[in-house]
């Protein structure tokens, strides 16, 4: 019998308990043993739950029990998730998590502690929810040189952008709709400001480079400044606007990381990813382009990834992770050198624009002038845009 503890009995924790119950026979067939949910840690009681008798309120009960083989941390936030997970690993308990924040900030420490203790620290559900993306990148694509991993990593913002694109709605109205449907939280900042996507690109960047960069060092923009006018113009020019996380391997071995909205040509695979769906595109040699697509959140998809990870803890011959994150912020490439084309909407006239940016491609002229610059570094763009001051009404980068 394998004994496990679930830390946090919210939507995901309950989804994990339900899936383990429903698939008990299949799990036993796979790992050769029954799985018993011995403890559920939560501040609340769940008198109506079939797991009511497993609920404890003190993590020390779980920490002290050497019979617990694995801990599933689905509580969210950095603290005390980090401390509880480290204690579990030190106690030679496998740890599985869906918590992107704690992985992005402390994945390096956690993987090192797991290795020291001969146990697993698995976090497939932390990026892309139910989409199997981390293990395929680590295991199946390991013989490739990954040039870039980029993706739509946040379902809430993708829902909002899809709504703006399909119905011409404003950002504010689309956000309200996302909240009414339960996709966006009452406080939606982590999603709409790009913070959630930033944590996920930090994890993906760590996987392809082995380098862990604290999320607060990563250039991060959300979608709050995108106007209905920008979306309409993108549509007219056969483009979508998507919030992308990008991790690019630089020639000198450093890693360029960012989260920002991008204009994407309609024939690019990521442009067709709509609603709450997530997608991760890997561009690597020799495999070329690979795309993973699916649901990035929700009880079922997240439980699918967590239970998959749990079973791997009990079936893997060795518990040595095939990678490690090394905390090395100096390996983060300088964002001011990032180069792309830029979409700009402005109240300036074309001669002012040409003076600032040189030759541009005009997309529309009317009440506002909208144009695409040539390839420019972030620094060159910022300097040119500064000469137009508050006449710059909107700015979105373009995916090449
Ligand atoms: N708030 C996140 C999203 C949930 O909308 O994608 C999964 O991290």
């Amino acid at each position: 019998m394998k004994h496990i503890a679930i830390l946090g009995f919210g939507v995901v924790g309950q989804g994990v308990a339900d899936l383990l119950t429903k698939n008990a026979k299949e799990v036993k067939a796979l790992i050769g043993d029954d799985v018993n949910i011995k403890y559920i840690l939560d501040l609340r009681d769940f008198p109506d739950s079939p797991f009511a008798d497993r609920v404890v309120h003190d993590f020390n009960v779980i920490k002290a029990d050497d019979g617990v083989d694995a801990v599933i941390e689905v509580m969210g936030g950095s603290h005390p998730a980090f401390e509880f997970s480290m204690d579990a690993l030190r106690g030679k308990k496998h740890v599985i998590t869906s918590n992107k924040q704690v992985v992005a900030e402390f994945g390096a420490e956690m993987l090192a502690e797991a290795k020291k203790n001969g146990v697993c620290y698995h976090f497939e559900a932390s990026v892309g929810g139910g989409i199997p993306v981390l293990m395929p990148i680590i295991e199946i694509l390991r013989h490739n040189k990954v040039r870039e991993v980029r993706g739509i990593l946040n379902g809430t913002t993708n829902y909002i952008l899809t709504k703006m694109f399909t119905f011409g709605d404003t950002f504010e109205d689309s956000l309200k709709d996302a909240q009414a449907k339960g996709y966006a939280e009452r406080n939606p900042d982590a999603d709409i400001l790009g913070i959630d996507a930033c944590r996920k690109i930090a994890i993906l960047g760590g996987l392809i480079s082995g380098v862990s960069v604290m999320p607060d060092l990563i250039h991060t923009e959300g979608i709050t400044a995108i106007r209905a006018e920008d979306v309409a113009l993108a549509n007219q020019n056969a483009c979508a606007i998507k919030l992308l996380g990008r991790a690019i391997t630089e020639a000198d071995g450093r890693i360029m990381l960012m989260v920002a909205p991008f204009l994407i040509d309609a024939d690019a695979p990521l442009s067709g990813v709509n609603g709450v769906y997530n997608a991760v595109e890997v561009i690597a040699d020799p495999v070329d382009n690979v795309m993973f697509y699916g649901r990035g959140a929700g009880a079922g998809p997240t439980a699918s990834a967590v239970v998959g990870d749990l079973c791997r803890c009990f079936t893997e011959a060795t518990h040595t992770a095939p990678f490690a994150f090394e905390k090395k912020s100096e390996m983060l490439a300088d964002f001011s050198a990032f180069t792309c084309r830029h979409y700009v909407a402005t109240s300036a006239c074309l001669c002012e624009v040409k003076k600032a940016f040189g030759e541009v491609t005009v997309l529309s002229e009317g009440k506002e002038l909208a144009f695409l610059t040539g390839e420019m570094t972030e620094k060159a763009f910022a300097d040119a845009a500064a000469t137009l001051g508050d006449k710059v009404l909107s700015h979105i980068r373009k995916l090449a």
Side-chain angles (χ1 to χ4, degrees):
M1 177 88 78
K2 303 289 187 209
H3 298 284
I4 69 161
I6 299 176
L7 313 187
F9 207 46
V11 172
V12 175
Q14 293 180 33
V16 170
D18 289 345
L19 185 58
L20 281 171
T21 307
K22 187 166 160 253
N23 282 15
K25 265 193 198 148
E26 290 83 351
V27 169
K28 184 175 183 176
L30 180 65
I31 69 170
D33 223 341
D34 285 308
V35 170
N36 171 42
I37 300 172
K38 190 167 185 184
Y39 302 110
I40 288 168
L41 180 76
D42 205 288
L43 294 172
R44 303 160 290 180
D45 282 307
F46 297 85
D48 300 328
S49 164
F51 303 100
D53 58 338
R54 331 282 168 94
V55 175
V56 295
H57 304 298
D58 180 2
F59 177 71
N60 287 315
V61 174
I62 299 165
K63 181 179 165 181
D65 188 339
D66 289 337
V68 173
D69 299 288
V71 166
I72 292 175
E73 184 274 297
V74 285
M75 47 200 306
S78 295
H79 305 284
F82 168 63
E83 290 76 11
F84 289 178
S85 300
M86 285 296 265
D87 279 343
L89 294 169
R90 286 188 195 109
K92 304 201 186 307
K93 299 168 173 56
H94 302 294
V95 175
I96 299 98
T97 188
S98 61
N99 181 342
K100 56 234 85 186
Q101 186 173 354
V102 82
V103 179
E105 292 174 8
F106 298 109
E109 290 88 336
M110 229 86 89
L111 283 165
E113 194 61 41
K115 190 173 177 186
K116 200 155 73 176
N117 292 287
V119 289
C120 300
Y121 182 62
H122 286 329
F123 44 90
E124 182 63 65
S126 67
V127 179
I131 312 173
V133 61
L134 303 188
M135 277 321 283
I137 292 176
I138 296 163
E139 294 283 12
I140 315 295
L141 298 177
R142 72 187 305 162
H143 305 290
N144 284 267
K145 185 167 170 25
V146 179
R147 280 182 274 140
E148 177 169 352
V149 176
R150 60 190 177 207
I152 294 169
L153 304 172
N154 182 270
T156 303
T157 45
N158 204 38
Y159 178 85
I160 292 170
L161 291 172
T162 304
K163 194 96 181 28
M164 292 173 76
F165 191 83
T166 313
F167 299 107
D169 292 351
T170 61
F171 166 76
E172 289 75 15
D173 286 345
S174 303
L175 171 59
K176 276 190 201 131
D177 181 59
Q179 285 172 317
K181 291 205 163 61
Y183 300 139
E185 311 264 342
R186 209 170 301 157
N187 178 353
D189 285 358
D191 292 321
I192 64 176
L193 300 180
I195 298 164
D196 175 73
C198 172
R199 292 171 182 145
K200 294 167 181 169
I201 201 63
I203 297 170
L204 286 169
L207 284 198
I208 65 165
S209 67
V211 169
S212 164
V213 171
M214 284 302 271
D216 55 8
L217 299 175
I218 297 172
H219 179 89
T220 301
E221 293 175 30
I223 61 165
T224 51
I226 298 174
R227 310 168 312 155
E229 293 90 329
D230 303 320
V231 176
L233 202 71
N235 204 350
Q236 282 161 28
N237 285 278
C239 284
I241 299 174
K242 297 290 181 189
L243 184 69
L244 294 187
R246 299 184 67 184
I248 303 166
T249 309
E250 298 283 295
D252 63 4
R254 288 183 303 158
I255 181 125
M256 179 73 80
L257 297 168
M258 74 198 73
V259 172
F262 277 82
L263 252 85
I264 309 183
D265 289 329
D267 58 0
L270 286 170
S271 78
V273 176
N274 288 317
V276 292
Y277 281 87
N278 286 199
V280 176
E281 187 179 6
V282 181
I283 304 163
D285 300 314
V287 72
D288 203 24
N289 287 44
V290 176
M291 195 158 104
F292 303 86
Y293 169 88
R295 286 193 182 271
T302 311
S304 160
V306 168
V307 171
D309 270 354
L310 175 70
C311 291
R312 286 201 296 126
C313 294
F314 299 129
T315 53
E316 279 169 351
T318 69
H319 294 132
T320 312
F323 64 94
F325 289 174
E326 200 182 346
K327 263 199 168 134
K328 262 193 178 174
S329 296
E330 68 275 19
M331 291 304 285
L332 180 65
D334 178 7
F335 185 67
S336 67
F338 175 67
T339 304
C340 68
R341 298 183 78 187
H342 299 258
Y343 154 90
V344 180
T346 178
S347 56
C349 67
L350 188 55
C351 55
E352 288 174 288
V353 165
K354 282 188 171 171
K355 202 167 152 208
F357 290 95
E359 279 310 311
V360 296
T361 305
V362 174
L363 300 177
S364 90
E365 275 181 294
K367 216 169 81 200
E368 298 179 356
L369 173 66
F371 63 91
L372 274 178
T373 70
E375 295 255 331
M376 303 177 81
T377 63
E378 287 294 321
K379 168 139 187 19
F381 177 83
D383 290 346
T387 67
L388 299 183
D390 59 10
K391 288 182 179 172
V392 173
L393 305 174
S394 191
H395 159 227
I396 303 171
R397 296 169 187 82
K398 170 119 182 17
L399 187 70

